[in-house]
Amino acid sequence: MDTHRLLPSRVISAAVVAVVIGRALDWRLALSWLIALLASEGLARLATHRFKPGVHASHRLRAAFVLGALPINLIWGWLAAMLWLSTTADLKLAAVGIWVGQIVFVQNYRHQPWTLVAISAVAPLASLIVFPVFFYDAHGIGPDTARAALLLVTLTTVNTMISNRAAARRLDELTHGLREERERALEATRAKSTFIAVASHELRTPMNGMLGMAHALARSNLDEGQREQVRLMLKSGDNLMKLLDDVLDLSRIEAGRVELVVAPFNLEETLGEVLDAWRDVAVVKNLTLSVAIGAAVPAWIEADVLRIRQVLVNLIANALKFTAEGGISLEISASHAAGPEALDIRFAVRDTGPGVPPEAAGRVFDSFTQADDTVSRRHGGAGLGLTISRALARQMGGDLTLEPSPTGACFVFSLRAAVAEPRVRIEPERSQDDAALKTVRVLMAEDNPINQLVVRAMLEATGVSLTVVDNGQAALETMAGEGFDCVLMDINMPVMDGITALEAIRSGATGHPDLPVIALTASALAGDRERFLKMGFTDHLGKPVKPAALITAIAHAVSPGQRGADALHDAA
């Protein structure tokens, strides 16, 4: 509060005045006055120590606050009166200075109650009129002009104080209104984020059934026309899930809830994986796809590999989408502009497409916006990829910009990262028996009948022995009577949810505390995987799940040394 914040300046001012008075009059008088003033400041501090920002004060505390200021003002007023009545005429100017200083200091109380302002300002304002008129014997044009000037100062000060309080009141009202608007905006953002998260969860469950059955249908005996129809079903479903993931990412970015998972990784391998994922598309369109890595780029860095992969995939996908002939190049460079401990890494994605018109360059990063209205009709897309990519780049300490290029478009993605020590790569052990899964017994806890059928259809060809229950309690009871190699656990189930069931398993309630448990859930937001792994799940699969990802996760869980399919798991 103001009285606490201004205490050091008041004490310093009092000490300076005491030194001046001691030199001008008497040191004992000055020291006595300073002690009395410091004592009154201590009493005022004691009376107001319960006042804290945002805490409503009672009427009793407010009265103590106002009365605490009274001794301070009386002691200052007594000093000014003593100086005015002194036999030394020059000290009258010092008295006027004290009264004016009191009035100036009162301006700090423009947000405080009128009572405090009156106690602090009435005495010095009255003194500026009373002492020159009744305790000043000099007469003539000079003294009378001084009296009139002091009267004018007093009236002007009163008017200024009233104007300041009115301005302060308007400022308080504006500040209060802005705070309310901010809270409403934050509440709307939270409501939107909650709605999108719930919608995502609810959409993923039926999408898991649709895409799961489409995958199962793709493995059945179909003629070429039927196979093409299933392929289009899967492509449409994947496009819908991509749009849903983009909307979720945008919502989290707007809410400031995107968390980066920084860890060491091999940058060169990641770049190779990103390009390899798009080489088939480039071949089909008869386009070249090249990469050039600068000599200063380290092999290993510490950053969020998934977010870097997401941005690069968006940029390369856009370049391939809009390029009809020629090719796409990815150029990577690095510099120590950020200091000796960090690198500024720059990824430039260039294409030989039509480029971005100058008039559209400013809006390509806007949400749900394309370069022109015909783009979405010709090439599809919701216009979210660049918006999300720029936000992620900025969160990683860099940016995403569109730079001038003689041909096509050139998007430059930069980030800040630390150099990491290379990690020892453990070569995966290859299974000698392709039919190893046929001996695996899997328990699935899932309350949705469609999801049960989807997983059963996906695992049918592998020969896995699958037992299905519809809640966590039933899973614990089944595990107590039978042995299983792995558990697929949904999270939101009646009777007992998946997290509670996992805690029981890890506590040894079923006799197998280290049994692999895979979270199979519609909670598939960024960061959900890490959150479930910290809870104790062996792995996490977000719905809609793909057959390759499901089979790979089970194989990893039952054979921890067999990690050769990591790329398949990530891609799926």
Side-chain angles (χ1 to χ4, degrees), residues 27-106:
W27 284 105
R28 288 177 299 178
L29 176 65
L31 183 60
S32 300
W33 173 83
L34 182 60
I35 292 174
L37 180 65
L38 293 178
S40 63
E41 288 281 5
L43 290 174
R45 182 68 177 86
L46 184 64
T48 60
H49 75 282
R50 294 184 182 179
F51 282 83
K52 298 187 183 303
V55 178
H56 181 72
S58 64
H59 292 294
R60 185 175 180 181
L61 287 177
R62 289 183 180 275
F65 173 48
V66 173
L67 293 176
L70 184 59
I72 299 173
N73 287 283
L74 290 176
I75 291 173
W76 277 105
W78 171 79
L79 176 63
M82 184 182 63
L83 292 174
W84 182 275
L85 298 174
S86 171
T87 56
T88 305
D90 292 342
L91 293 180
K92 288 180 171 56
L93 184 60
V96 172
I98 291 176
W99 289 324
V100 172
Q102 284 183 279
I103 295 170
V104 171
F105 189 82
V106 170

Coordinates of all heavy atoms in Angstrom, one line a residue, residues 27-106:
W27 N 20.9 21.6 17.7 CA 21.0 20.1 17.4 C 20.1 19.3 18.3 O 19.5 18.3 17.9 CB 22.4 19.7 17.5 CG 23.2 20.1 16.3 CD1 24.2 21.1 16.3 CD2 23.2 19.5 15.0 NE1 24.7 21.2 15.0 CE2 24.1 20.2 14.2 CE3 22.4 18.5 14.4 CZ2 24.3 19.9 12.9 CZ3 22.7 18.2 13.1 CH2 23.6 18.9 12.3
R28 N 20.0 19.7 19.6 CA 19.1 19.0 20.5 C 17.7 19.1 20.1 O 16.9 18.1 20.2 CB 19.3 19.5 21.9 CG 20.6 19.1 22.5 CD 20.8 19.7 23.9 NE 20.8 21.2 23.9 CZ 20.9 22.0 24.9 NH1 21.0 21.5 26.1 NH2 20.9 23.3 24.8
L29 N 17.3 20.3 19.7 CA 15.9 20.5 19.2 C 15.6 19.6 17.9 O 14.6 18.9 17.8 CB 15.6 21.9 18.9 CG 14.3 22.3 18.3 CD1 13.2 22.0 19.3 CD2 14.2 23.7 17.9
A30 N 16.6 19.6 17.0 CA 16.4 18.8 15.8 C 16.4 17.3 16.1 O 15.5 16.6 15.5 CB 17.6 19.1 14.8
L31 N 17.2 16.9 17.0 CA 17.2 15.4 17.4 C 15.9 15.0 18.1 O 15.4 14.0 17.8 CB 18.4 15.1 18.2 CG 18.6 13.6 18.6 CD1 18.8 12.8 17.4 CD2 19.8 13.5 19.6
S32 N 15.4 15.9 18.9 CA 14.2 15.6 19.6 C 13.0 15.5 18.6 O 12.1 14.6 18.7 CB 13.9 16.7 20.7 OG 14.9 16.7 21.6
W33 N 13.0 16.5 17.7 CA 11.9 16.4 16.7 C 12.0 15.2 15.8 O 11.0 14.5 15.5 CB 12.1 17.7 15.8 CG 11.1 17.6 14.6 CD1 9.8 18.0 14.6 CD2 11.4 17.2 13.3 NE1 9.3 17.8 13.3 CE2 10.3 17.3 12.5 CE3 12.6 16.7 12.7 CZ2 10.2 16.9 11.2 CZ3 12.5 16.3 11.3 CH2 11.3 16.4 10.6
L34 N 13.2 14.8 15.4 CA 13.4 13.6 14.6 C 13.0 12.3 15.3 O 12.3 11.4 14.8 CB 14.9 13.4 14.1 CG 15.2 12.2 13.2 CD1 14.4 12.3 11.9 CD2 16.7 12.2 12.9
I35 N 13.3 12.2 16.6 CA 12.9 11.1 17.4 C 11.4 11.0 17.5 O 10.7 9.9 17.4 CB 13.5 11.1 18.8 CG1 15.0 10.9 18.7 CG2 12.9 10.1 19.7 CD1 15.8 11.1 20.0
A36 N 10.7 12.1 17.8 CA 9.3 12.2 17.8 C 8.6 11.8 16.5 O 7.6 11.0 16.5 CB 8.8 13.6 18.3
L37 N 9.2 12.2 15.4 CA 8.6 11.9 14.1 C 8.8 10.4 13.8 O 7.9 9.7 13.3 CB 9.3 12.7 13.0 CG 8.8 12.5 11.6 CD1 7.3 12.9 11.5 CD2 9.6 13.2 10.5
L38 N 10.0 9.8 14.1 CA 10.2 8.4 13.8 C 9.3 7.6 14.7 O 8.8 6.5 14.3 CB 11.7 8.1 14.1 CG 12.7 8.7 13.1 CD1 14.1 8.3 13.5 CD2 12.4 8.2 11.7
A39 N 9.0 8.0 15.9 CA 8.1 7.3 16.8 C 6.7 7.3 16.2 O 6.0 6.3 16.3 CB 8.1 7.9 18.2
S40 N 6.3 8.4 15.7 CA 4.9 8.5 15.1 C 4.9 7.7 13.9 O 3.8 7.1 13.6 CB 4.6 10.0 14.8 OG 5.5 10.5 13.9
E41 N 6.0 7.6 13.1 CA 6.0 6.7 11.9 C 5.9 5.3 12.3 O 5.2 4.5 11.7 CB 7.3 7.0 11.1 CG 7.3 8.3 10.3 CD 6.5 8.3 9.1 OE1 5.8 7.2 8.8 OE2 6.6 9.3 8.3
G42 N 6.6 4.9 13.4 CA 6.5 3.6 13.9 C 5.1 3.2 14.3 O 4.6 2.1 14.1
L43 N 4.4 4.1 15.0 CA 3.0 3.9 15.4 C 2.1 3.7 14.2 O 1.2 2.9 14.2 CB 2.5 5.0 16.3 CG 3.1 5.1 17.7 CD1 2.7 6.4 18.4 CD2 2.8 3.9 18.6
A44 N 2.3 4.6 13.2 CA 1.5 4.5 12.0 C 1.7 3.1 11.3 O 0.8 2.5 10.8 CB 1.8 5.6 11.1
R45 N 3.0 2.7 11.3 CA 3.3 1.4 10.6 C 2.7 0.3 11.4 O 2.1 -0.7 10.8 CB 4.8 1.2 10.6 CG 5.3 -0.1 9.9 CD 5.0 0.0 8.4 NE 5.4 -1.2 7.8 CZ 4.8 -2.3 7.6 NH1 3.6 -2.4 8.2 NH2 5.3 -3.3 7.0
L46 N 2.6 0.4 12.7 CA 2.0 -0.7 13.6 C 0.5 -0.7 13.3 O -0.1 -1.8 13.3 CB 2.3 -0.4 15.0 CG 1.8 -1.4 16.1 CD1 2.5 -2.8 15.8 CD2 2.1 -1.0 17.5
A47 N -0.1 0.5 13.1 CA -1.5 0.6 12.9 C -2.0 0.0 11.6 O -3.1 -0.4 11.4 CB -2.0 2.0 13.1
T48 N -1.0 0.0 10.6 CA -1.4 -0.4 9.3 C -0.8 -1.7 8.8 O -0.8 -2.0 7.6 CB -1.0 0.8 8.3 OG1 0.4 1.0 8.4 CG2 -1.7 2.1 8.6
H49 N -0.1 -2.4 9.7 CA 0.6 -3.6 9.3 C -0.3 -4.7 8.8 O 0.2 -5.6 8.1 CB 1.5 -4.1 10.5 CG 0.7 -4.9 11.5 ND1 -0.1 -4.2 12.5 CD2 0.5 -6.2 11.7 CE1 -0.6 -5.1 13.3 NE2 -0.3 -6.3 12.8
R50 N -1.6 -4.7 9.1 CA -2.5 -5.7 8.7 C -3.0 -5.4 7.2 O -3.7 -6.3 6.7 CB -3.7 -5.8 9.6 CG -3.3 -6.3 11.0 CD -4.6 -6.5 11.8 NE -4.3 -6.9 13.2 CZ -5.2 -7.1 14.2 NH1 -6.5 -6.9 13.9 NH2 -4.8 -7.4 15.3
F51 N -2.8 -4.2 6.7 CA -3.2 -3.9 5.4 C -2.3 -4.7 4.4 O -1.1 -4.5 4.4 CB -3.1 -2.4 5.1 CG -4.3 -1.7 5.7 CD1 -4.2 -1.3 7.1 CD2 -5.4 -1.3 5.0 CE1 -5.3 -0.6 7.6 CE2 -6.4 -0.6 5.5 CZ -6.4 -0.2 6.9
K52 N -3.0 -5.4 3.5 CA -2.3 -6.1 2.4 C -3.0 -6.0 1.1 O -4.3 -5.8 1.1 CB -2.1 -7.6 2.7 CG -1.3 -7.8 4.0 CD -1.0 -9.3 4.2 CE -0.2 -9.5 5.5 NZ 1.1 -8.8 5.5
P53 N -2.3 -6.0 0.0 CA -3.0 -5.9 -1.3 C -4.1 -6.9 -1.5 O -3.8 -8.1 -1.3 CB -1.9 -6.0 -2.4 CG -0.7 -5.6 -1.6 CD -0.9 -6.1 -0.2
G54 N -5.3 -6.5 -2.0 CA -6.3 -7.5 -2.3 C -7.1 -8.0 -1.1 O -8.0 -8.8 -1.2
V55 N -6.7 -7.5 0.2 CA -7.4 -7.9 1.4 C -8.4 -6.8 1.8 O -7.9 -5.7 2.0 CB -6.4 -8.3 2.5 CG1 -7.2 -8.6 3.8 CG2 -5.5 -9.4 2.1
H56 N -9.6 -7.1 2.0 CA -10.6 -6.1 2.4 C -10.4 -5.8 3.9 O -10.2 -6.6 4.8 CB -12.0 -6.7 2.3 CG -13.1 -5.7 2.7 ND1 -13.4 -4.6 1.9 CD2 -13.9 -5.7 3.8 CE1 -14.4 -3.9 2.5 NE2 -14.7 -4.6 3.6
A57 N -10.3 -4.4 4.2 CA -10.1 -3.9 5.5 C -11.4 -3.6 6.2 O -12.3 -3.0 5.6 CB -9.2 -2.7 5.5
S58 N -11.4 -3.8 7.5 CA -12.6 -3.5 8.3 C -12.6 -2.0 8.5 O -11.7 -1.3 8.4 CB -12.6 -4.3 9.6 OG -11.5 -3.9 10.4
H59 N -13.8 -1.5 9.0 CA -13.9 -0.1 9.4 C -13.0 0.3 10.5 O -12.4 1.4 10.5 CB -15.3 0.3 9.8 CG -16.3 0.2 8.6 ND1 -16.3 1.0 7.6 CD2 -17.3 -0.7 8.4 CE1 -17.3 0.7 6.7 NE2 -17.9 -0.4 7.2
R60 N -12.7 -0.7 11.4 CA -11.8 -0.4 12.5 C -10.4 -0.2 12.0 O -9.7 0.7 12.5 CB -11.9 -1.6 13.5 CG -11.1 -1.3 14.8 CD -11.3 -2.5 15.7 NE -10.5 -2.3 17.0 CZ -10.6 -3.2 18.0 NH1 -11.3 -4.2 17.9 NH2 -9.8 -2.9 19.0
L61 N -10.0 -1.1 11.1 CA -8.6 -0.9 10.6 C -8.5 0.3 9.7 O -7.4 1.0 9.8 CB -8.3 -2.2 9.7 CG -8.0 -3.5 10.4 CD1 -7.8 -4.6 9.4 CD2 -6.8 -3.3 11.3
R62 N -9.5 0.7 9.0 CA -9.5 1.9 8.2 C -9.4 3.2 9.2 O -8.6 4.1 8.9 CB -10.7 2.1 7.4 CG -10.8 1.1 6.2 CD -12.0 1.3 5.3 NE -12.0 0.3 4.2 CZ -11.4 0.5 3.1 NH1 -10.6 1.6 2.9 NH2 -11.4 -0.4 2.2
A63 N -10.1 3.1 10.3 CA -10.0 4.2 11.3 C -8.6 4.3 11.9 O -8.0 5.4 12.0 CB -11.0 4.0 12.4
A64 N -8.0 3.1 12.2 CA -6.6 3.1 12.7 C -5.6 3.7 11.7 O -4.7 4.4 12.0 CB -6.2 1.7 13.1
F65 N -5.9 3.4 10.4 CA -5.0 3.8 9.3 C -5.1 5.4 9.2 O -4.1 6.1 9.1 CB -5.5 3.2 8.0 CG -4.8 3.7 6.8 CD1 -3.5 3.9 6.7 CD2 -5.6 4.1 5.7 CE1 -2.8 4.4 5.6 CE2 -5.0 4.6 4.5 CZ -3.6 4.7 4.5
V66 N -6.3 5.9 9.3 CA -6.4 7.4 9.2 C -5.8 8.1 10.4 O -5.1 9.1 10.3 CB -7.9 7.7 9.0 CG1 -8.1 9.2 9.1 CG2 -8.5 7.2 7.7
L67 N -6.1 7.6 11.6 CA -5.6 8.2 12.9 C -4.1 8.0 13.0 O -3.4 8.9 13.6 CB -6.3 7.5 14.1 CG -7.8 7.8 14.2 CD1 -8.4 7.0 15.4 CD2 -8.0 9.3 14.4
G68 N -3.5 7.0 12.3 CA -2.1 6.8 12.4 C -1.3 7.9 11.7 O -0.2 8.2 12.0
A69 N -2.0 8.6 10.7 CA -1.4 9.7 10.0 C -1.4 11.0 10.7 O -0.7 11.9 10.4 CB -2.0 9.8 8.6
L70 N -2.3 11.1 11.8 CA -2.5 12.4 12.4 C -1.3 12.8 13.2 O -0.8 14.0 13.0 CB -3.7 12.2 13.4 CG -4.1 13.5 14.1 CD1 -4.5 14.6 13.1 CD2 -5.3 13.2 15.0
P71 N -0.6 12.0 14.0 CA 0.6 12.4 14.7 C 1.7 12.9 13.8 O 2.4 13.9 14.1 CB 1.0 11.2 15.6 CG -0.2 10.4 15.7 CD -1.0 10.6 14.4
I72 N 1.8 12.2 12.7 CA 2.9 12.6 11.7 C 2.7 14.0 11.2 O 3.6 14.8 11.2 CB 3.0 11.6 10.6 CG1 3.3 10.2 11.1 CG2 4.0 12.0 9.5 CD1 3.2 9.1 10.0
N73 N 1.5 14.3 10.8 CA 1.2 15.6 10.3 C 1.3 16.7 11.3 O 1.7 17.8 11.1 CB -0.2 15.6 9.7 CG -0.3 14.8 8.3 OD1 0.1 15.3 7.3 ND2 -0.8 13.6 8.4
L74 N 0.9 16.4 12.6 CA 1.0 17.4 13.7 C 2.5 17.7 14.0 O 2.8 18.9 14.2 CB 0.3 16.8 14.9 CG -1.2 16.7 14.9 CD1 -1.7 16.1 16.2 CD2 -1.8 18.1 14.7
I75 N 3.3 16.7 13.9 CA 4.8 16.9 14.2 C 5.4 17.8 13.1 O 6.2 18.7 13.4 CB 5.5 15.6 14.4 CG1 5.0 14.9 15.7 CG2 7.0 15.8 14.4 CD1 5.5 13.5 15.9
W76 N 5.1 17.5 11.8 CA 5.6 18.3 10.8 C 5.0 19.8 10.9 O 5.7 20.7 10.6 CB 5.2 17.7 9.4 CG 6.1 16.6 8.9 CD1 5.9 15.3 8.9 CD2 7.4 16.8 8.4 NE1 6.9 14.6 8.4 CE2 7.9 15.5 8.0 CE3 8.2 17.9 8.1 CZ2 9.2 15.3 7.5 CZ3 9.5 17.8 7.6 CH2 9.9 16.5 7.2
G77 N 3.7 19.8 11.2 CA 3.1 21.2 11.3 C 3.7 22.0 12.4 O 3.9 23.2 12.3
W78 N 4.0 21.3 13.6 CA 4.6 22.0 14.7 C 6.0 22.5 14.3 O 6.4 23.6 14.7 CB 4.8 21.0 15.9 CG 5.6 21.5 17.0 CD1 5.2 22.4 18.0 CD2 7.0 21.2 17.2 NE1 6.2 22.7 18.8 CE2 7.4 21.9 18.4 CE3 7.9 20.4 16.6 CZ2 8.6 21.9 18.9 CZ3 9.2 20.3 17.2 CH2 9.5 21.1 18.3
L79 N 6.8 21.7 13.5 CA 8.1 22.2 13.1 C 8.0 23.5 12.2 O 8.7 24.5 12.4 CB 8.8 21.1 12.4 CG 10.2 21.5 11.8 CD1 11.2 21.9 12.9 CD2 10.8 20.4 10.9
A80 N 7.0 23.4 11.3 CA 6.9 24.6 10.4 C 6.4 25.8 11.2 O 6.9 26.9 10.9 CB 5.8 24.2 9.3
A81 N 5.5 25.6 12.2 CA 5.0 26.8 13.0 C 6.2 27.3 13.8 O 6.3 28.6 13.9 CB 3.9 26.3 13.9
M82 N 7.0 26.5 14.3 CA 8.2 26.9 15.1 C 9.1 27.7 14.3 O 9.7 28.8 14.7 CB 8.9 25.7 15.7 CG 10.0 26.1 16.7 SD 10.9 24.6 17.3 CE 11.5 23.9 15.8
L83 N 9.4 27.3 13.0 CA 10.3 28.0 12.1 C 9.7 29.4 11.8 O 10.4 30.4 11.7 CB 10.5 27.2 10.9 CG 11.3 25.9 11.1 CD1 11.4 25.1 9.8 CD2 12.7 26.2 11.6
W84 N 8.4 29.4 11.5 CA 7.7 30.7 11.2 C 7.8 31.7 12.3 O 8.0 32.9 12.1 CB 6.3 30.4 10.8 CG 5.6 31.7 10.3 CD1 4.9 32.6 11.1 CD2 5.5 32.2 9.0 NE1 4.4 33.6 10.4 CE2 4.7 33.4 9.0 CE3 5.9 31.7 7.8 CZ2 4.4 34.1 7.9 CZ3 5.6 32.4 6.6 CH2 4.9 33.6 6.7
L85 N 7.6 31.2 13.5 CA 7.6 32.1 14.7 C 9.0 32.4 15.2 O 9.1 33.1 16.2 CB 6.7 31.5 15.8 CG 5.2 31.3 15.4 CD1 4.5 30.5 16.6 CD2 4.5 32.6 15.1
S86 N 10.0 31.8 14.6 CA 11.3 32.1 15.1 C 11.7 33.5 14.8 O 11.2 34.2 13.9 CB 12.3 31.2 14.3 OG 13.7 31.5 14.6
T87 N 12.7 34.0 15.6 CA 13.1 35.4 15.4 C 13.9 35.6 14.2 O 14.1 36.8 13.7 CB 14.0 35.8 16.6 OG1 15.1 34.9 16.8 CG2 13.1 35.8 17.9
T88 N 14.4 34.5 13.6 CA 15.1 34.6 12.3 C 14.1 34.7 11.1 O 13.4 33.7 10.9 CB 16.1 33.4 12.1 OG1 16.9 33.3 13.3 CG2 16.9 33.6 10.9
A89 N 14.1 35.8 10.5 CA 13.1 36.1 9.4 C 13.2 35.1 8.3 O 12.2 34.7 7.6 CB 13.1 37.5 9.0
D90 N 14.5 34.7 8.0 CA 14.7 33.9 6.8 C 14.1 32.5 6.9 O 13.8 31.8 5.9 CB 16.2 33.8 6.5 CG 16.8 35.1 6.1 OD1 16.1 36.0 5.7 OD2 18.1 35.2 6.2
L91 N 13.8 32.1 8.2 CA 13.3 30.7 8.4 C 11.8 30.6 8.0 O 11.3 29.5 8.0 CB 13.5 30.3 9.9 CG 14.9 30.1 10.3 CD1 15.0 29.7 11.8 CD2 15.6 29.0 9.4
K92 N 11.2 31.8 7.8 CA 9.8 31.7 7.3 C 9.7 31.0 6.0 O 8.7 30.3 5.7 CB 9.2 33.2 7.3 CG 8.9 33.8 8.6 CD 8.4 35.2 8.5 CE 7.9 35.7 9.8 NZ 8.9 35.7 10.9
L93 N 10.7 31.3 5.1 CA 10.7 30.6 3.8 C 10.8 29.1 4.0 O 10.2 28.3 3.3 CB 11.8 31.1 3.0 CG 11.9 30.6 1.6 CD1 10.7 30.9 0.8 CD2 13.2 31.1 0.9
A94 N 11.6 28.6 5.0 CA 11.7 27.2 5.3 C 10.3 26.6 5.8 O 10.0 25.5 5.4 CB 12.8 26.9 6.4
A95 N 9.6 27.4 6.6 CA 8.3 27.0 7.0 C 7.3 26.8 5.8 O 6.6 25.8 5.8 CB 7.7 28.0 8.0
V96 N 7.4 27.8 4.9 CA 6.5 27.7 3.7 C 6.9 26.4 2.9 O 6.1 25.7 2.4 CB 6.7 28.9 2.9 CG1 6.0 28.7 1.5 CG2 6.1 30.1 3.6
G97 N 8.2 26.1 2.9 CA 8.7 25.0 2.2 C 8.1 23.7 2.8 O 7.7 22.7 2.0
I98 N 8.1 23.6 4.1 CA 7.5 22.4 4.8 C 6.0 22.2 4.5 O 5.6 21.1 4.1 CB 7.8 22.5 6.3 CG1 9.3 22.3 6.6 CG2 7.0 21.4 7.0 CD1 9.7 22.4 8.0
W99 N 5.3 23.4 4.6 CA 3.9 23.3 4.3 C 3.6 22.8 2.8 O 2.7 22.0 2.6 CB 3.2 24.6 4.5 CG 3.1 25.0 6.0 CD1 2.9 24.1 7.0 CD2 3.3 26.2 6.6 NE1 2.9 24.7 8.2 CE2 3.1 26.1 8.0 CE3 3.6 27.5 6.1 CZ2 3.3 27.1 8.9 CZ3 3.6 28.6 7.0 CH2 3.5 28.4 8.4
V100 N 4.4 23.4 1.9 CA 4.2 23.0 0.5 C 4.6 21.6 0.3 O 3.9 20.8 -0.5 CB 5.0 24.0 -0.4 CG1 5.0 23.4 -1.9 CG2 4.5 25.4 -0.4
G101 N 5.7 21.1 1.0 CA 6.1 19.7 0.9 C 5.0 18.8 1.4 O 4.7 17.7 0.8
Q102 N 4.3 19.2 2.5 CA 3.2 18.3 3.0 C 2.1 18.2 2.0 O 1.5 17.2 1.7 CB 2.7 19.0 4.3 CG 3.6 18.7 5.5 CD 2.9 19.3 6.8 OE1 3.0 20.5 7.0 NE2 2.3 18.4 7.5
I103 N 1.8 19.4 1.3 CA 0.7 19.4 0.3 C 1.1 18.5 -0.9 O 0.2 17.7 -1.4 CB 0.4 20.8 -0.1 CG1 -0.2 21.6 1.1 CG2 -0.6 20.8 -1.2 CD1 -0.3 23.1 0.8
V104 N 2.3 18.6 -1.3 CA 2.8 17.8 -2.5 C 2.7 16.3 -2.1 O 2.3 15.5 -2.9 CB 4.2 18.2 -2.9 CG1 4.7 17.2 -3.9 CG2 4.2 19.6 -3.4
F105 N 3.1 16.0 -0.9 CA 3.1 14.6 -0.5 C 1.7 14.0 -0.4 O 1.5 12.8 -0.7 CB 3.8 14.5 0.9 CG 4.0 13.0 1.3 CD1 5.1 12.3 0.9 CD2 3.1 12.4 2.1 CE1 5.3 11.0 1.2 CE2 3.3 11.1 2.5 CZ 4.4 10.4 2.1
V106 N 0.7 14.9 -0.1 CA -0.7 14.4 0.0 C -1.2 13.9 -1.3 O -2.1 13.1 -1.4 CB -1.6 15.6 0.6 CG1 -3.0 15.2 0.4 CG2 -1.2 15.8 2.0

